[in-house]
Amino acid sequence: MSLRSGNPSLKDEAFEKYNDAETGRTMTIQGTVNKTFILVLLVLATSVYSWNQFLSNPNSATPLILVGAIGSLIVALVTIFIPKISPFTAPVYALLEGLFIGAVSARYEAQFGGIVFQAVLLTIGVLLSLLLAYKSGLINVTQNFRLGVVAATGAIFLVYLVSFIGGFFGFEIPHLHEATPLGIAISVVIVIIAALNLVLDFDFIENASAKQVPKYFEWYGAFGLLITLVWLYLEILRLLSKLRNR
């Protein structure tokens, strides 16, 4: 079975070229779950720090967002290209991502009281629901399913890239960041695509562990899953803010 995920860090080449590269301990699903839990705790730790920094001084949010966003992006790219160092870079990524998420979440919370708690609950609910659906066989990860989610994910990131670059020239994609009915519908679609990426990540990690790749790929798999979780949380937060604005 071809391993494929919409997550750029979890792709065929990342695992398959290491199939017989090393001997000894190999990746397991439980090990990946444990590593994911550790990374989530690290994200929470620095999120609390940046959250408190925002409460004490709202002006501190911008530096934290920049450091967290740029730093986590650099570390993520290094990890994707050199998976073997993921036991070291994945925790660093989680800490930097936490700085970004905490400051961004604090800003949303200041504007819409209670929105962060709702977003966290919804993210956890989506994660557990899709995990249950995947393990029970309600969602069948076929090749067409993979290709569809991967294509949709690529289209979304292309739109975000155009929006980001266009922002420097005063160009904005209509409705993408607006609380209009169409803007809300767009956010709903993006949340659904982000959620479906979790299913691909579950399937990818399960198949990778079956291929008995090296043990350090537990960190790499956890790192990839964390990327999807962060994306899903931020999109849910964005959707809830649009609904509040209505």
Side-chain angles (χ1 to χ4, degrees):
M1 180 181 295
S2 174
L3 302 182
R4 186 173 297 277
S5 170
N7 189 323
S9 68
L10 300 183
K11 55 185 180 179
D12 297 9
E13 296 84 357
F15 287 102
E16 292 189 350
K17 66 182 180 181
Y18 291 98
N19 281 350
D20 300 312
E22 296 184 8
T23 58
R25 296 191 305 162
T26 58
M27 175 185 181
T28 65
I29 294 177
Q30 185 58 54
T32 306
V33 171
N34 294 340
K35 304 305 189 296
T36 302
F37 184 70
I38 292 173
L39 295 184
V40 170
L41 289 180
L42 293 176
V43 169
L44 290 176
T46 48
S47 292
V48 170
Y49 169 77
S50 58
W51 177 289
N52 290 332
Q53 287 295 108
F54 176 86
L55 294 181
S56 61
N57 179 18
N59 293 328
S60 66
T62 300
L64 289 172
I65 290 175
L66 290 176
V67 171
I70 297 174
S72 61
L73 175 61
I74 294 173
V75 174
L77 290 174
V78 172
T79 306
I80 290 171
F81 285 107
I82 315 175
K84 195 168 186 176
I85 65 174
S86 57
F88 307 101
T89 56
V92 174
Y93 168 81
L95 291 171
L96 290 169
E97 195 67 75
L99 291 178
F100 171 75
I101 292 175
V104 169
S105 298
R107 280 188 169 180
Y108 274 102
E109 185 69 18
Q111 188 174 1
F112 309 103
I115 192 173
V116 170
F117 182 68
Q118 294 172 352
V120 170
L121 285 184
L122 285 172
T123 302
I124 295 174
V126 170
L127 171 66
L128 296 179
S129 298
L130 288 178
L131 180 59
L132 178 62
Y134 171 74
K135 296 301 292 183
S136 64
L138 290 177
I139 298 180
N140 186 19
V141 184
T142 64
Q143 186 66 13
N144 287 335
F145 179 89
R146 290 190 187 90
L147 292 175
V149 175
V150 169
T153 302
I156 290 170
F157 279 104
L158 180 60
V159 169
Y160 276 157
L161 180 61
V162 172
S163 176
F164 175 75
I165 296 175
F168 292 103
F169 303 96
F171 168 76
E172 292 186 0
I173 297 179
H175 303 288
L176 181 62
H177 305 294
E178 299 173 5
T180 62
L182 181 56
I184 292 173
I186 291 173
S187 285
V188 170
V189 171
I190 294 176
V191 167
I192 292 173
I193 298 302
L196 291 178
N197 269 275
L198 286 176
V199 178
L200 295 191
D201 293 345
F202 298 152
D203 184 69
F204 189 84
I205 292 171
E206 183 176 60
N207 281 285
S209 63
K211 286 179 174 289
Q212 297 185 323
V213 295
K215 188 71 172 177
Y216 63 81
F217 269 106
E218 290 177 352
W219 284 105
Y220 190 75
F223 156 75
L225 185 57
L226 182 64
I227 290 177
T228 304
L229 283 173
V230 168
W231 179 33
L232 176 62
Y233 166 74
L234 292 175
E235 292 299 343
I236 290 176
L237 199 58
R238 183 194 298 269
L239 173 59
L240 291 177
S241 70
K242 289 183 178 181
L243 293 173
R244 291 284 193 96
N245 272 326
R246 294 291 295 177

